[in-house]
Amino acid sequence: MANYGKTSPYGATPIVNEEYLDILVPRTIPITQYDQPYTIESQFHQRPDIASNIMYGTPKLWWVFSQRNVDILKDPVFDFKSGTEIYITEPKTLFEFLGL
């Protein structure tokens, strides 16, 4: 049976049966006053998982960058390019929102 946790981008998507998910319900990341502008460094070029591991302590939150920057990162991996300016959600705020 499919069981998606709090760190999964599929966590808000209903499960149809033991094998299938329903249509994707994106987990939106709210804009807060604590969000910081960030320019993606070359060490994170097309590697949001590594950036997530450094910034949030887990590679499982790689999808947060694209959900917070939907107008900038259309593809969560290939648009995650060095030199691109995005907004980063503060870890404490993000963890509270996701219930971690």
Side-chain angles (χ1 to χ4, degrees), residues 2 8-9 16 19 31 37 39 56 58 67 79 94-95 99:
S8 173
V16 175
E19 296 180 31
I31 297 170
T39 302
Y56 299 127
T58 179
Q67 289 304 106
D79 289 342
L94 178 63
F95 296 158

Side-chain angles (χ1 to χ4, degrees), residues 1 6 11-13 26 32 42 46 48 64 67 93:
M1 182 166 148
K6 295 177 181 180
T13 303
T32 71
S42 61
Q46 296 183 340
V64 168
Q67 289 304 106
T93 305

Side-chain angles (χ1 to χ4, degrees), residues 54-86:
I54 298 295
M55 295 176 192
Y56 299 127
T58 179
K60 293 180 179 182
L61 294 174
W62 61 270
W63 57 272
V64 168
F65 302 117
S66 63
Q67 289 304 106
R68 171 58 185 85
N69 299 278
V70 293
D71 294 336
I72 301 167
L73 302 173
K74 301 290 184 193
D75 184 294
V77 175
F78 294 114
D79 289 342
F80 202 82
K81 298 178 181 177
S82 58
T84 303
E85 280 201 28
I86 61 173

